Amino acid sequence: MAQRLVSSGAWADTNGSTQTPEVPVNGSADKLKPVKFRSKYKHVGAAHYAVRPSVLSHDSTEVPSFLGFRNLMVLTIIVMNLRLVVENARKYGLLVTLKSNISSYDLRIGLLLYALTPCHLFAAYVIERVAMNQAKRALGNRKRSDAGIDAPETERERKDFRTTWRWIAFGHAVNATLALAITTLVVFYAIGNPGIGTISELHAIVLWLKTSSYAFTNRDLRHAMLHPSPSSKALPEIYKQCSYPNNITLSNLTYFWWAPTLIYQPAYPRTERIRWFFVLKRLGEMGALAVFMWITCAQYAVPVLLNSLDKMVTLDYPSILERLMKLSTISLIIWLAGFFALFQSFLNMLAELLRFGDREFYGDWWNSTSLKGYWSSWNKPVYHFMRRHIYSPLIGRGWSHLSASTAVFVFSGFLHELAVGVPTHSILGVAFLGMVMQLPLILITDPLATSKSITGKVIGNCVFWVNFVFVGQPLAAMIYFFSWQAKYGALAKGRSNPVATRS
């Protein structure tokens, strides 16, 4: 069939119909709609007919999908780790054993420390009952006076309240400090197993923080009851579900003890029912992840740490760096598994059993573009405590943002050193310095987080990952492990470890 070229640039066949390679959609020059091209001239089709950027260019109007690259990365990681599994099995054999190195003595001491917890809770309850009764008597006196309950707070009343609060605060401080001090001394001098020691010490720290929050919150609620004012009437709406002093009950305090939060409130958002299948799923996740972390530690982390001992004795820095990089991937896997087991599985299971409604235990910390963003999102219970009971009160007293933040990190460093140094019987200050040194890194990465440039945010996120994954955690683990072995392990006995000799 003969064809002819028409003036519009389209091709027309002999019956008058035309075919164009592509036509604009809705008059847009950059969005072209393809049309079937029927022509016997196969070598003249226009492949380049518009201004178009490369797919990965910043000028591209559409963001491409990187699903294929993600799949490639996952497959690469799987293959690399399978190679490490095979290499580890050929080198060391099976190191995982069902034989436990936990002594019955350590286990009994750990259970005893946990059993003492209700004693301190009851003491905190008694202290608050005394404060509540004193507040009721003061309120009765105000009602019988000529001024009435709505009269402004006098200087004498303010002084009496502060005096009473000092005694109440002293009682709470002694009670909470005894709980922490007794556990710390017993763990440091009596418990040999670092695992049991860590669990016991963490529980004592949590009890200490909860008791502090219980005391501070009830102090403000007591003052609001005694001296009504616009600020006292602006208490959170949810507090009306259990207003002071109706919250001073043993059952209320016991619920707070078990609740997955460090912040005391008279009432919390509650769900309607317990989903038992949800609880079983979280329990299964905890069990599976616990086994996974146990196997990973025994089969991969321990050999790397043991093989680093002689290098640290001789200060062989290139070998130490090589061991550090090898340990970083293992510690990352254990850390991520531990994070999921604690914050996603355990805390959600506990919240479901208690019908605790607010379950924002963490944010998307993995996308943090600064260290400040990480610390405010990865552990929300601790972040809320630090902000509510340390940072905000200091700001209210006129402290600068930097000074208040420094106080928060110093306090957090103290807790980290207790949680790591006491169970390992090595108060080295490494965990403390690791926290305090976050402040200059925060000052460095904050401009990157607020930058409008994508590059700045990417650099900030990379600094965060390098700081925690490839430097901080594996280096601290190596130092504390070396200290432990120098006191109680292979270095203390003057011999090489059997596992290490096979490296």
Side-chain angles (χ1 to χ4, degrees):
M1 178 173 57
Q3 295 177 332
R4 58 187 175 82
L5 181 65
V6 296
S7 61
S8 63
W11 294 95
D13 56 21
T14 53
N15 59 15
S17 63
T18 62
Q19 303 292 335
T20 59
E22 305 205 21
V23 297
V25 179
N26 297 328
S28 174
D30 57 345
K31 295 183 179 179
L32 302 176
K33 179 181 179 181
V35 178
K36 292 182 179 180
F37 188 95
R38 294 185 298 172
S39 172
K40 70 176 182 178
Y41 300 105
K42 305 301 182 181
H43 303 285
V44 297
H48 309 286
Y49 48 83
V51 177
R52 295 178 297 182
S54 300
V55 175
L56 296 179
S57 173
H58 289 295
D59 298 330
S60 179
T61 57
E62 296 183 3
V63 179
S65 172
F66 293 97
L67 180 62
F69 279 119
R70 187 197 68 180
N71 295 337
L72 174 62
M73 291 176 62
V74 171
L75 291 174
T76 303
I77 292 174
I78 291 175
V79 172
M80 291 174 62
N81 282 278
L82 285 177
R83 182 192 66 80
L84 293 176
V85 170
V86 174
E87 179 184 347
N88 180 275
R90 294 179 59 186
K91 191 173 184 179
Y92 302 113
L94 183 63
L95 299 178
V96 180
T97 175
L98 296 178
K99 183 180 179 181
S100 175
N101 61 349
I102 300 177
S103 68
S104 59
Y105 175 79
D106 287 347
L107 190 58
R108 287 196 303 268
I109 295 297
L111 292 176
L112 178 61
L113 290 175
Y114 189 83
L116 290 175
T117 301
C119 300
H120 297 285
L121 289 173
F122 184 74
Y125 166 71
V126 170
I127 293 171
E128 279 302 321
R129 290 291 297 186
V130 171
M132 179 194 70
N133 291 330
Q134 190 275 342
K136 284 184 175 180
R137 286 194 298 270
L139 186 62
N141 294 334
R142 286 177 60 86
K143 289 181 178 179
R144 289 189 293 270
S145 66
D146 296 336
I149 190 174
D150 294 327
E153 183 182 13
T154 65
E155 184 62 31
R156 178 181 177 83
E157 290 172 338
R158 187 179 296 110
K159 183 178 179 180
D160 291 342
F161 182 84
R162 289 177 179 174
T163 302
T164 303
W165 162 242
R166 289 190 184 99
W167 284 106
I168 298 302
F170 177 77
H172 278 302
V174 170
N175 177 49
T177 303
L178 279 177
L180 181 61
I182 292 173
T183 301
T184 299
L185 292 174
V186 171
V187 169
F188 192 82
Y189 291 106
I191 296 182
N193 185 276
I196 295 180
T198 299
I199 294 174
S200 301
E201 189 68 18
L202 286 176
H203 183 252
I205 292 173
V206 168
L207 179 64
W208 185 35
L209 297 177
K210 287 199 173 197
T211 305
S212 301
S213 181
Y214 185 70
F216 285 130
T217 305
N218 280 311
R219 173 200 179 277
D220 286 355
L221 294 177
R222 187 162 53 251
H223 187 276
M225 181 192 73
L226 287 172
H227 310 288
S229 64
S231 59
S232 65
K233 294 178 181 178
L235 292 174
E237 187 71 21
I238 194 174
Y239 286 16
K240 295 180 180 179
Q241 298 179 12
C242 187
S243 59
Y244 188 89
N246 297 324
N247 64 305
I248 308 300
T249 62
L250 199 56
S251 60
N252 184 277
L253 178 57
T254 303
Y255 181 88
F256 172 55
W257 173 36
W258 283 97
T261 178
L262 298 175
I263 294 295
Y264 174 72
Q265 294 181 190
Y268 297 94
R270 303 287 294 275
T271 57
E272 295 181 356
R273 61 184 180 87
I274 300 176
R275 298 170 295 174
W276 291 105
F277 183 69
F278 180 90
V279 173
L280 292 176
K281 285 176 64 177
R282 302 289 82 78
L283 184 62
E285 290 171 356
M286 288 172 53
L289 288 171
V291 172
F292 172 78
M293 288 187 291
W294 167 53
I295 294 175
T296 306
C297 287
Q299 189 69 34
Y300 299 98
V302 172
V304 174
L305 289 169
L306 289 173
N307 293 338
S308 67
L309 294 178
D310 56 338
K311 308 299 186 297
M312 296 186 71
V313 170
T314 59
L315 295 180
D316 185 354
Y317 293 110
S319 298
I320 292 175
L321 181 60
E322 185 270 335
R323 294 284 189 247
L324 191 65
M325 289 188 293
K326 191 173 184 179
L327 183 63
S328 64
T329 56
I330 302 172
S331 65
L332 171 62
I333 294 172
I334 297 173
W335 180 48
L336 292 177
F339 163 79
F340 195 94
L342 175 60
F343 290 96
Q344 178 62 24
S345 301
F346 176 71
L347 293 184
N348 268 287
M349 183 191 71
L350 195 60
E352 188 68 25
L353 289 172
L354 296 174
R355 295 173 44 225
F356 188 87
D358 187 1
R359 303 181 185 183
E360 191 182 17
F361 304 122
Y362 58 91
D364 58 339
W365 54 264
W366 47 88
N367 292 326
S368 299
T369 55
S370 70
L371 295 179
K372 179 182 177 181
Y374 167 76
W375 286 116
S376 62
S377 59
W378 102 275
N379 189 340
K380 286 296 185 70
V382 171
Y383 169 74
H384 290 319
F385 180 93
M386 297 294 183
R387 185 171 185 83
R388 177 178 172 182
H389 294 304
I390 299 180
Y391 179 82
S392 295
L394 292 179
I395 292 294
R397 287 177 172 84
W399 287 43
S400 66
H401 166 73
L402 181 59
S403 300
S405 299
T406 302
V408 168
F409 276 91
V410 169
F411 180 69
S412 181
F414 170 72
L415 296 182
H416 277 75
E417 189 64 36
L418 284 180
V420 179
V422 172
T424 58
H425 306 269
S426 302
I427 308 297
L428 305 176
V430 174
F432 175 81
L433 289 177
M435 285 300 302
V436 174
M437 293 305 295
Q438 298 298 313
L439 283 172
L441 291 175
I442 288 176
L443 296 177
I444 293 174
T445 56
D446 262 357
L448 297 175
T450 57
S451 172
K452 296 182 179 180
S453 171
I454 297 296
T455 304
K457 296 182 182 299
V458 170
I459 294 175
N461 185 254
C462 291
V463 170
F464 148 68
W465 280 116
V466 169
N467 177 63
F468 280 93
V469 176
F470 301 107
V471 178
Q473 293 189 42
L475 181 60
M478 191 175 291
I479 292 174
Y480 281 101
F481 185 83
F482 177 82
S483 177
W484 172 268
Q485 291 292 331
K487 289 183 177 181
Y488 310 102
L491 295 178
K493 298 175 182 178
R495 61 178 176 82
S496 300
N497 191 281
V499 175
T501 57
R502 284 181 275 178
S503 62

